[in-house]
């Protein structure tokens, strides 16, 4: 599709040169000639409102017309060749935003958001799909799509965020039953073996005081070299009892929870201060730089070196400054 501006770049702020970011951008428009072969680093859902077109790309060739909905995965190249003209509404969606939704939808069998990313790729493995939904059903989507288009054009992402999400869920609920998915016959126990972190397995019931005490201690002194027997003795439980009580309350063992707290604090340090990765790791309790990097990547999906920060100095630079 030919666009007049980049997806995810909404109305420009008057105060800065940066753009407001939105995980969902919606455009409605018409094309009358063939587009360039191009790909987008996002999911694209194209609802055909009028006309028809040939779609050619990595997936082969498809034809789409009124009543069809076309779904492209991230980075799938496509060239659109309209038969006369094509009018459509295109929804651009950040893949990470969708992965977050998949995580909560399948939280009973997924360990974390990294696991959800792999699970999502397995479920929706086809690079492109043309859904023959029918004109009548597509017509029902039009009021929602028109409002989403208007909100995208208006900007003020934060102000209209919840309304955009509500509209997206209405559209997704109507589209999802038509999407072809791959078989993923994995239960919670099988998924738990694919990543070292524990799955979220808890019920919303009153938390036992012992779990709250241990959590408070971990948060108060997360850089301490905590041992499970030490934590258990603090609340007069056996190590097995503490693990069961704590996991039931917070969905993770005490050690896994401590790792999560350390990564969160390490991320804050890297984000807000001019601290090297090695020093940030030491501040939260990891003397090994490789262990800090491994845990950070496991929890966030990126290395601490690639984590967003302003003016961070490298380990090498910090070493020179100490000389």
């Amino acid at each position: 599709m030919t666009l007049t501006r980049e997806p995810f770049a909404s109305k420009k702020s008057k105060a800065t040169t940066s753009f407001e970011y939105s995980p969902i951008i919606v455009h409605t428009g018409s094309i009358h000639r063939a587009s360039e072969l191009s790909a987008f680093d996002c999911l694209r859902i194209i609802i055909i409102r009028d006309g028809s077109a040939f779609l050619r790309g990595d997936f082969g060739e498809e034809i789409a017309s009124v009543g069809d909905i076309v779904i492209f995965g991230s980075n799938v190249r496509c060239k659109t060749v309209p038969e006369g003209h094509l009018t459509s509404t295109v929804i651009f969606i950040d893949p990470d935003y969708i992965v977050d939704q998949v995580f909560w939808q399948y939280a009973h069998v997924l360990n974390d958001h990294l696991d959800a990313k792999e699970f999502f790729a397995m479920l929706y493995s086809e690079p492109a799909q043309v859904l023959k939904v029918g004109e009548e059903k597509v017509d029902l989507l039009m009021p929602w799509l028109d409002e989403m288009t208007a909100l995208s054009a208006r900007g003020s992402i934060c102000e209209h965020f919840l309304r955009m999400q509500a509209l997206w869920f209405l559209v997704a609920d109507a589209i999802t039953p038509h999407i072809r998915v791959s078989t993923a016959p994995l239960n919670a126990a099988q998924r738990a073996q694919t990543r070292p972190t524990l799955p979220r397995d808890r019920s919303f019931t009153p938390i036992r005081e012992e779990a709250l005490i241990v959590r408070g201690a971990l948060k108060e002194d997360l850089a301490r070299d905590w041992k499970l027997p030490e934590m258990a003795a603090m609340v007069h439980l056996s190590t097995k009892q503490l693990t069961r009580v704590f996991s039931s309350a917070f969905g993770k063992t005490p050690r896994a929870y401590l790792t999560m707290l350390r990564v969160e604090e390490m991320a804050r340090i890297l984000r807000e201060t001019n601290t090297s990765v090695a020093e940030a790791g030491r501040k939260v309790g990891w003397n090994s730089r490789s262990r800090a990097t491994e845990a950070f990547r496991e929890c966030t999906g990126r290395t601490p070196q690639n984590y967003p920060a302003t003016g961070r100095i490298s380990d090498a630079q910090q070493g020179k400054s100490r000389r």
Side-chain angles (χ1 to χ4, degrees):
M1 292 300 186
T2 302
L3 300 176
T4 57
R5 58 179 174 173
E6 292 295 322
F8 310 136
S10 183
K11 183 181 293 183
K12 196 171 183 178
S13 169
K14 295 180 180 179
T16 68
T17 57
S18 63
F19 291 90
E20 283 188 285
Y21 175 81
S22 174
I24 303 175
I25 291 291
V26 184
H27 293 308
T28 296
S30 300
I31 60 174
H32 300 271
R33 62 178 183 273
S35 68
E36 298 289 337
L37 182 66
S38 58
F40 292 82
D41 188 25
C42 62
L43 300 177
R44 285 180 291 164
I45 299 175
I46 304 172
I47 299 90
I48 310 300
R49 305 177 71 132
D50 191 29
S52 61
F54 290 97
L55 308 174
R56 297 170 183 151
D58 298 332
F59 49 87
E61 181 174 291
E62 298 276 0
I63 185 169
S65 57
V66 180
D68 293 344
I69 296 177
V70 184
I71 300 180
F72 290 118
S74 300
N75 305 306
V76 175
R77 295 183 301 170
C78 177
K79 178 178 183 177
T80 304
V81 183
E83 294 185 298
H85 78 282
L86 181 74
T87 300
S88 64
T89 295
V90 186
I91 305 174
F92 301 88
I93 307 181
D94 188 307
D96 290 335
Y97 175 75
I98 295 295
V99 167
D100 284 342
Q101 294 174 20
V102 168
F103 171 71
W104 289 113
Q105 182 179 2
Y106 294 96
H108 60 293
V109 294
L110 296 176
N111 301 309
D112 51 37
H113 285 73
L114 299 182
D115 206 12
K117 189 173 184 178
E118 297 174 6
F119 188 71
F120 173 75
M122 178 172 57
L123 278 181
Y124 304 99
S125 57
E126 295 187 41
Q129 293 188 34
V130 178
L131 312 180
K132 301 296 182 179
V133 177
E135 290 187 54
E136 184 176 344
K137 290 185 178 179
V138 167
D139 284 343
L140 296 176
L141 304 179
M142 293 309 169
W144 303 331
L145 297 173
D146 289 343
E147 186 176 353
M148 294 175 78
T149 299
L151 290 176
S152 291
R154 189 182 307 171
S156 302
I157 302 303
C158 291
E159 180 182 350
H160 304 296
F161 180 80
L162 294 178
R163 180 57 183 170
M164 182 68 92
Q165 312 319 299
L167 292 167
W168 158 244
F169 285 130
L170 288 170
V171 172
D173 183 59
I175 293 176
T176 300
H178 301 275
I179 299 176
R180 297 185 298 274
V181 297
S182 303
T183 303
L186 294 180
N187 58 37
Q190 291 171 312
R191 297 300 296 175
Q193 297 174 8
T194 65
R195 303 200 66 83
T197 55
L198 291 179
R200 178 172 294 275
D201 184 14
R202 61 173 175 166
S203 58
F204 291 113
T205 55
I207 298 175
R208 285 182 54 168
E209 186 66 21
E210 295 92 336
L212 289 173
I213 291 172
V214 171
R215 185 185 69 162
L218 295 179
K219 295 181 71 173
E220 184 70 22
D221 192 5
L222 57 85
R224 182 172 173 174
D225 184 20
W226 289 99
K227 305 295 185 185
L228 187 59
E230 177 187 10
M231 291 183 249
M234 182 190 309
V235 290
H236 308 291
L237 294 176
S238 69
T239 55
K240 288 185 177 180
Q241 287 175 321
L242 174 61
T243 298
R244 176 178 54 79
V245 168
F246 199 95
S247 298
S248 176
F250 303 115
K252 296 179 184 295
T253 65
R255 290 296 304 177
Y257 196 89
L258 176 61
T259 297
M260 179 191 72
L261 292 176
R262 286 178 170 178
V263 169
E264 289 176 349
E265 176 61 12
M266 185 175 174
R268 186 198 65 77
I269 293 171
L270 294 176
R271 207 169 46 238
E272 299 178 2
T273 68
N274 195 30
T275 305
S276 71
V277 171
E279 181 61 23
R282 283 192 290 270
K283 285 185 175 182
V284 301
W286 285 311
N287 293 322
S288 167
R289 184 175 184 273
S290 62
R291 171 59 186 137
T293 298
E294 177 187 9
F296 196 95
R297 182 172 53 237
E298 189 66 42
C299 290
T300 68
R302 64 181 71 185
T303 64
Q305 293 84 354
N306 294 328
Y307 190 72
T310 302
R312 183 187 310 155
I313 60 176
S314 68
D315 295 332
Q317 288 174 322
Q318 187 177 69
K320 289 180 181 179
S321 66
R322 289 175 175 170
R323 294 193 186 106

